[in-house]
Amino acid sequence: PNPTITVQGAFTKGGNSSGVSQDHEDNFELQNYSTATAGKHTLRFGARLRSYRDANYSTAGANGTYLFNTIAEYQSNTPSQYTVTDIHNALARALLFDGSLFFEDDWKVNPNLSVGLGLRFEGQNRIRDHADWAPRVSLAWSPLHRGNATAKTVVRAGYGWFYNRFTVPNSFFSSAGA
């Protein structure tokens, strides 16, 4: 492609310095969550797998730009500035994958008190630590609960560890593979 020529205050001509730019993303997610009851226990368990692929291609600036401050500089073919982007590989790709397993037991201690215990295991590629354990605990109490009537007030408390997954800008880009 032809370089872009700019004469300040007069004209701009030549090739388009924007080049070719392409962005392609693929997102996949598979999850399965199940619930079972056994007496006073409600058991929840499941798994999630996610994949995110991002591929970018750009040749922006590869044709070069000549900048002339005046018409006289242009006529004498003496640009004040020349810029070009030297592209060795126009393709950048990243593949992120994460997965998790979880198990939770909600135990109805008595009609107005429930206790929950759970554990989640998570992992993600592109980080050194692939094993993140995340414990959870919860409490639900109905202070005014009477007999079989539905409670009108429930006080809930919980604690747990949660992880933020890395995104493509936070991960290592690679032009090979992925």
Side-chain angles (χ1 to χ4, degrees):
N2 295 330
T4 302
I5 298 171
T6 301
V7 179
Q8 291 187 355
F11 64 87
T12 299
K13 71 175 192 172
N16 179 356
S17 63
S18 296
V20 174
S21 182
Q22 298 172 347
D23 184 20
H24 182 85
E25 296 178 8
D26 293 315
N27 295 289
F28 299 101
E29 184 166 344
L30 175 66
Q31 53 185 309
N32 183 27
Y33 301 129
S34 300
T35 301
T37 57
K40 295 184 174 189
H41 296 270
T42 301
L43 307 172
R44 292 181 184 85
F45 50 94
R48 182 188 71 215
L49 301 172
R50 288 189 301 196
S51 172
Y52 177 81
R53 180 182 169 270
D54 192 6
N56 294 281
Y57 177 85
S58 178
T59 59
N63 62 323
T65 302
Y66 288 97
L67 177 65
F68 298 92
N69 290 323
T70 64
I71 294 279
E73 281 183 2
Y74 175 70
Q75 290 172 336
S76 67
N77 199 23
T78 55
S80 61
Q81 183 178 4
Y82 174 71
T83 58
V84 66
T85 301
D86 187 17
I87 300 173
H88 296 282
N89 186 350
L91 181 63
R93 291 186 277 192
L95 176 64
L96 296 178
F97 177 81
D98 69 77
S100 64
L101 301 169
F102 79 93
F103 177 81
E104 181 179 311
D105 179 7
D106 287 332
W107 173 39
K108 194 165 196 88
V109 178
N110 60 45
N112 68 337
L113 178 64
S114 292
V115 175
L117 296 172
L119 186 62
R120 186 177 195 91
F121 174 81
E122 297 186 6
Q124 182 179 12
N125 70 332
R126 301 226 180 231
I127 57 174
R128 277 193 234 180
D129 177 13
H130 294 289
D132 295 320
W133 293 95
R136 317 270 167 94
V137 63
S138 64
L139 181 72
W141 175 55
S142 305
L144 304 175
H145 181 73
R146 304 282 186 255
N148 291 333
T150 303
K152 297 193 186 264
T153 302
V154 178
V155 177
R156 296 185 185 275
Y159 175 82
W161 293 353
F162 296 87
Y163 295 97
N164 289 329
R165 298 290 101 202
F166 279 86
T167 60
V168 171
N170 301 114
S171 70
F172 171 74
F173 269 86
S174 172
S175 59

